[in-house]
């Protein structure tokens, strides 16, 4: 009976150490938040007039701000998992986000979310393709996000429409036309 008790205590202690080690390993590497700046539409339109081209370039930061704005409306990714911060990295039509997640309103976890970007009028869509915590890939059934959609036409004056979006390295080129 005594050896059974010792075995159970040993298993409980090892389990607690394993959980503590996993939480330590998953700690965020940077302090992130969901603050964002609104897209500087007037400056973009002014640059179009000066350059005499119906196009504008969104920087990695500006795209990140648009996505943070969309994410801040739905921070609960699934029950018990809240998004508390993000920083985006753009490479062509691939997007990565370093994020801070809050599990069960107690434990902070740092992760990298990977996305594929696509443009289908009127939405710029980021489709979640995977999650990594440091070097460990998280199974898709543990954390899978709904696509993030941003209607870029919401940022345009009434008579201006977006005709095309091209992903170019760490920028996004947006071509405009007149709305009829």
């Amino acid at each position: 009976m005594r050896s059974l008790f010792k075995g159970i205590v040993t298993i409980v202690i090892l389990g607690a150490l394993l959980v503590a080690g996993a939480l330590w390993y998953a700690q965020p590497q940077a302090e992130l938040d969901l603050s964002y700046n609104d897209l500087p539409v007037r400056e973009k339109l002014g640059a179009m007039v000066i350059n005499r081209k119906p196009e504008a370039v969104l920087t990695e930061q500006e795209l990140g701000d648009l996505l943070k704005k969309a994410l801040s409306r739905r921070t609960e990714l699934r029950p018990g998992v809240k998004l508390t911060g993000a920083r985006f990295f753009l490479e062509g039509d691939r997007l990565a986000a370093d994020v801070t997640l809050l599990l069960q309103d107690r434990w902070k976890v740092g992760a990298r979310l990977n996305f594929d970007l696509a443009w289908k009028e009127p939405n710029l869509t980021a489709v979640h393709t995977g999650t990594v915590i440091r070097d460990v890939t998280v199974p898709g059934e543990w954390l899978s996000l709904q696509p993030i959609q941003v209607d870029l036409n919401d940022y345009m004056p009434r008579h201006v429409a977006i005709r095309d979006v091209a992903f170019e390295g760490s920028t996004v080129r947006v071509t405009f036309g007149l709305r009829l």
Side-chain angles (χ1 to χ4, degrees), residues 1-16:
M1 184 65 139
R2 213 164 209 204
S3 63
L4 177 64
F5 179 72
K6 284 182 181 181
I8 291 173
V9 169
T10 302
I11 290 172
V12 169
I13 291 171
L14 288 175

Side-chain angles (χ1 to χ4, degrees), residues 120-152:
K120 184 174 180 187
E121 193 175 351
N123 294 315
L124 176 66
T125 304
V127 178
H128 181 232
T129 59
T131 303
V132 176
I133 297 177
R134 292 211 187 170
D135 295 325
V136 178
T137 301
V138 175
E141 51 274 1
W142 287 9
L143 183 63
S144 125
L145 279 66
Q146 295 296 316
I148 304 166
Q149 293 189 325
V150 176
D151 184 347
L152 294 178

Side-chain angles (χ1 to χ4, degrees), residues 56-132:
V57 174
L58 297 178
T59 66
E60 182 177 73
Q61 178 68 43
E62 290 167 337
L63 179 63
D65 286 341
L66 290 173
L67 293 169
K68 277 186 179 184
K69 184 175 183 178
L71 283 171
S72 67
R73 293 185 196 129
R74 55 177 180 148
T75 59
E76 188 161 16
L77 303 179
R78 62 177 286 171
V81 179
K82 290 182 183 172
L83 179 71
T84 61
R87 180 175 53 225
F88 292 90
F89 305 95
L90 179 63
E91 188 170 313
D93 63 351
R94 304 266 176 168
L95 181 75
D98 286 344
V99 298
T100 302
L101 305 172
L102 187 61
L103 304 179
Q104 302 301 321
D105 291 325
R106 286 185 212 150
W107 301 293
K108 283 187 177 182
V109 172
R112 174 157 284 199
L113 304 177
N114 295 307
F115 299 90
D116 284 337
L117 291 174
W119 164 252
K120 184 174 180 187
E121 193 175 351
N123 294 315
L124 176 66
T125 304
V127 178
H128 181 232
T129 59
T131 303
V132 176

